[in-house]
Amino acid sequence: MSDTSGPEQTRKPDAVAHADIVPMVWFSCALAALAGLLFGMDIGVISGALPFIKQEFHLSTAMEGWIVSSMMVGAAVGAFFAGGISQRFGRRKALLYSSLLFFIGALVAVVATSTAILVVARILLGLAVGVASFTAPLYLSEIAPERIRGTTISFYQLMVTVGILAAFVSNLAFSYIESWRWMFGVLMIPAGMLFAGVLMVPNSPRWLATRDRFDDARNVLNRLRSSREEIDYEMREIRESIEQKEQSRGWGMFKENANFRRSVLLGVSLQIVQQFTGMNAIMYFAPQIFQASGFEGTAAQLWSTVATGLVNVLATFIAIGFVDRLGRKPILYAGFTIMAVSMAVLATILHIGPDTSALQYTAMGAVLVFVAGFAMSAGPLIWTLCAEIQPLRGRDFGISASTVSNWVGNWIVGQFFPLMLVGIGGTMTFGILAALNLLFIVFTFMLIPETKGISLEKIEKNLMGGKALRDIGT
């Protein structure tokens, strides 16, 4: 244990700031990000499967919304318990458990003979998504060097978008034989890959340290860092974070510490913001949106959906390329502005009536621009920020709370978006989304910190020292 204190204790040596990234870091990040692929495929599969499920089981509008949103119920429950699972068994085992749930859920969907069984399958898949969406960004934030932390968590979001696109392509392929069961069945392949791959990656050194396994934490860092100086510096920061702070954790820490409550509430707010941009409404109900925009026929709607998925993937590279260069806040400002304008354009076109091909393609363009705005900003960066702002002793609780909020918001969107389209129409629905995205620009300015290039331990020190939330990254 280091007894040093003062400026020398926190000043980062140049050799640490510019150390090489070892291959095991990239390998571990890639395997964790595979959870994002499954997350994305589970989001994307329902948009193509739903028309055929509706045809086979003669679904009402309410049941249609429930089949979509039941996954979010499972995800909220999974995220709620993920903190305890991750804290007790480790991030690595939590990812293993989620891969098993993905496989079982997909298998139950394939053999479903009623809507009740299909809802059970969707809940199981939701449990898997909830655990994975909590654990993967947390694991990535704890194993990646701070100078690439934003990039690695953005890479996780890239895999989410790749998963959505893969599901859209799979949906299109199987739509020609009208097999929604195969659309779900393909999920079993990456689930098996995730299970096998996670067996080969190390546990989080920060989790090991919270279990007083400092020697094991150092051994893991020996695999993840390129120099002794880098390992010593990181171990010193981890020790200070654990041993110089209060000993309470989780709920106890939330009750006792007002500064921790601030970070938890900010994480919850961030995830609610992400959901109410409207992105998942676009993803879940893309075929219906394109139908309202004048594109007739299932094939045309699914091809449009594939285009949406492709833009989603490509725009995420903007975040990967610039999040650790420009920072989090400038990209969020740009993204919310783009989303607000594109939703306003779509609302206007639906009000006029897309009765010409020019207006139809303009409406489609507005959807694609909206998706690009989300994918380059709120999509990856909300997960990045939620993984960065929580102190180590409360990290499992804080990220669990924010992830549960994500899925509660997701459930609300999945449950009520189709009812809004029917009840108040596309013009009002997308107009509301435009207004919300404008409000989120103000939220970003007032509350969100810039965390580019700042260690998790320095962010924690600023938070616990009482700095304003927007300043904890300085």
Side-chain angles (χ1 to χ4, degrees):
M1 174 178 165
S2 173
D3 294 320
T4 59
S5 61
E8 292 185 35
Q9 182 179 5
T10 57
R11 190 177 69 83
K12 186 187 304 179
D14 289 341
V16 173
H18 302 289
D20 294 334
I21 308 298
V22 302
M24 179 54 75
V25 169
W26 296 118
F27 179 73
S28 299
C29 290
L31 262 298
L34 189 58
L37 180 77
L38 280 158
F39 179 176
M41 291 185 74
D42 206 19
I43 289 174
V45 68
I46 194 63
S47 66
L50 194 59
F52 301 108
I53 295 171
K54 188 174 182 179
Q55 180 180 347
E56 180 171 335
F57 293 111
H58 308 290
L59 303 180
S60 64
T61 300
M63 179 55 72
E64 181 181 353
W66 178 240
I67 286 177
V68 172
S69 61
S70 58
M71 187 204 78
M72 281 71 92
V73 173
V77 174
F80 179 81
F81 287 106
I85 294 170
S86 176
Q87 185 179 41
R88 181 174 181 181
F89 300 107
R91 290 51 163 134
R92 185 168 166 268
K93 284 188 177 179
L95 287 172
L96 286 173
Y97 299 153
S98 71
S99 67
L100 288 173
L101 284 170
F102 272 120
F103 190 92
I104 294 169
L107 181 61
V108 173
V110 169
V111 301
T113 55
S114 67
T115 54
I117 296 175
L118 189 56
V119 167
V120 169
R122 291 281 290 164
I123 291 173
L124 288 172
L125 288 168
L127 289 170
V129 168
V131 174
S133 62
F134 166 90
T135 308
L138 173 59
Y139 178 75
L140 290 168
S141 74
E142 292 187 341
I143 66 167
E146 61 206 49
R147 62 191 177 281
I148 63 164
R149 191 175 61 235
T151 299
T152 57
I153 301 176
S154 296
F155 181 67
Y156 164 78
Q157 180 64 25
L158 173 67
M159 294 302 289
V160 174
T161 66
V162 170
I164 292 171
L165 176 60
F168 287 168
V169 171
S170 171
N171 291 346
L172 179 62
F174 290 119
S175 70
Y176 290 103
I177 60 173
E178 300 186 0
S179 178
W180 61 267
R181 297 178 189 277
W182 278 107
M183 294 178 188
F184 281 102
V186 296
L187 291 171
M188 291 187 285
I189 298 172
M193 293 171 59
L194 177 62
F195 183 86
V198 172
L199 293 173
M200 297 184 283
V201 300
N203 219 321
S204 160
R206 286 172 170 81
W207 176 79
L208 291 168
T210 63
R211 314 300 288 183
D212 295 323
R213 295 167 57 183
F214 291 102
D215 290 340
D216 290 338
R218 177 174 284 275
N219 289 336
V220 169
L221 285 176
N222 283 332
R223 300 174 63 189
L224 296 174
R225 301 294 181 261
S226 61
S227 69
R228 174 69 177 271
E229 188 173 19
E230 190 178 11
I231 294 166
D232 289 343
Y233 177 83
E234 197 158 336
M235 282 300 302
R236 184 168 64 249
E237 282 207 314
I238 292 171
R239 280 183 178 273
E240 289 167 0
S241 175
I242 292 173
E243 296 174 4
Q244 294 182 11
K245 302 297 179 185
E246 59 190 278
Q247 296 302 303
S248 58
R249 298 173 183 263
W251 175 244
M253 186 176 178
F254 181 82
K255 290 188 296 182
E256 296 167 10
N257 192 296
N259 287 317
F260 179 48
R261 288 197 294 273
R262 292 190 303 145
S263 67
V264 172
L265 294 175
L266 177 58
V268 168
S269 300
L270 284 166
Q271 292 290 6
I272 291 172
V273 163
Q274 188 195 65
Q275 288 308 306
F276 284 89
T277 60
M279 177 60 175
N280 282 329
I282 301 293
M283 290 294 102
Y284 294 139
F285 300 101
Q288 292 93 317
I289 293 169
F290 286 120
Q291 182 181 27
S293 301
F295 291 88
E296 298 296 334
T298 301
Q301 293 160 20
L302 288 178
W303 272 110
S304 300
T305 304
V306 170
T308 302
L310 181 60
V311 169
N312 197 19
V313 172
L314 295 177
T316 306
F317 282 102
I318 298 173
I320 291 175
F322 292 102
V323 63
D324 286 318
R325 298 181 189 179
L326 299 179
R328 284 58 162 154
K329 293 184 74 167
I331 299 175
L332 285 173
Y333 287 137
F336 288 132
T337 301
I338 290 169
M339 287 187 280
V341 171
S342 57
M343 285 294 95
V345 169
L346 182 59
T348 301
I349 291 173
L350 293 178
H351 177 70
I352 296 170
D355 52 2
T356 67
S357 60
L359 286 175
Q360 289 172 11
Y361 283 104
T362 302
M364 180 180 180
V367 171
L368 296 181
V369 170
F370 171 86
V371 170
F374 179 89
M376 64 175 272
S377 62
L381 299 192
I382 294 300
W383 291 106
T384 300
L385 286 161
C386 285
E388 292 175 330
I389 62 175
Q390 305 300 343
L392 182 55
R393 285 193 171 274
R395 192 164 294 152
D396 292 280
F397 178 87
I399 298 178
S400 180
S402 61
T403 307
V404 168
S405 301
N406 176 282
W407 291 109
V408 171
N410 206 322
W411 177 83
I412 292 171
V413 170
Q415 185 70 27
F416 293 105
F417 183 77
L419 299 177
M420 287 178 67
L421 282 178
V422 173
I424 64 176
T427 298
M428 283 293 295
T429 299
F430 295 112
I432 290 170
L433 293 178
L436 286 173
N437 279 286
L438 287 175
L439 288 175
F440 298 154
I441 296 173
V442 179
F443 173 84
T444 301
F445 176 77
M446 296 295 294
L447 291 174
I448 295 181
E450 180 53 71
T451 55
K452 179 189 73 170
I454 307 298
S455 72
L456 297 178
E457 288 71 29
K458 179 63 183 297
I459 295 168
E460 175 179 348
K461 183 178 295 185
N462 289 338
L463 172 73
M464 294 306 190
K467 276 195 173 185
L469 286 172
R470 61 180 293 182
D471 296 327
I472 63 174
T474 59

